[in-house]
Structures are given as structure tokens and as C-alpha cells.
Amino acid sequence: MSISTLTELPVRTRAEQRLGSHLIRVVRAADARIPEGRRAPRTAAEMRARINIAANQACSSCGGTGGRIVDTSGDGVSRQNWESCSSCGGSGVAR
């Protein structure tokens, strides 16, 4: 990787791009083989949901996650953003 200035993103070589794509495919395939109840939570929302569900306090609208990921990808650009749950105010706890 080479960086021409501190404000620019690193320029990736074709080999680095292929390696990144390969690693994503391998990780997703491995994750798909793990039974649903056995997969460890990876995001803060997944962790929060587990805690809220265990405490019987999970919001019925968002399942205790506090919101959801909205995918607005298009034209070859991947865009995802977090939308907080309006029912629980993003806490994941039922009111």
C-alpha cells in the first residue's frame, strides 16, 4: 500500500483487493456454518439484544437491539446506516 498524503486513502493493489474479497467470503461462509443459537454476538446491538432478552426487558419492535441497519446501497456503492428504534428510543428496553 502506498499513501501519497496523509489525507488520502491508501491505494490498494489488485492483489490486496483480491485478498480482501477472499477473506470476506471465507469469514461469511464460516459464519453461515455456525448454528444460529451458537454464534457469538459481534456488534454492540447484538450484545445489547442478548442482555435485554435474558432480562425479559427486550423491546417488541426491535427485539432488544435498539434499532436496525438500513441499507441504501446502489450504483455499486455500499451504504448502510443505523436507524434507532422509535418505540424504545434506541435503548432496546421495552417501555
Side-chain angles (χ1 to χ4, degrees):
M1 261 188 237
S2 64
I3 301 175
S4 58
T5 67
L6 294 176
T7 58
E8 292 182 15
L9 294 175
V11 178
R12 292 189 182 159
T13 65
R14 178 75 179 128
E16 289 170 332
Q17 291 173 350
R18 288 178 54 213
L19 176 61
S21 297
H22 170 72
L23 291 174
I24 288 172
R25 280 193 310 274
V26 169
V27 168
R28 288 184 179 157
D31 279 355
R33 290 191 299 267
I34 299 171
E36 184 64 31
R38 302 274 322 224
R39 192 173 71 81
R42 290 191 177 181
T43 65
E46 290 174 340
M47 292 176 203
R48 184 184 313 119
R50 260 194 191 180
I51 292 168
N52 291 337
I53 289 170
N56 277 336
Q57 297 178 343
C59 171
S60 59
S61 295
C62 64
T65 61
R68 65 188 180 102
I69 294 175
V70 178
D71 190 346
T72 58
S73 300
D75 297 326
V77 178
S78 177
R79 289 185 290 283
Q80 295 182 333
N81 61 315
W82 181 257
E83 185 177 279
S84 293
C85 176
S86 58
S87 297
C88 65
S91 69
V93 178
R95 291 184 182 190

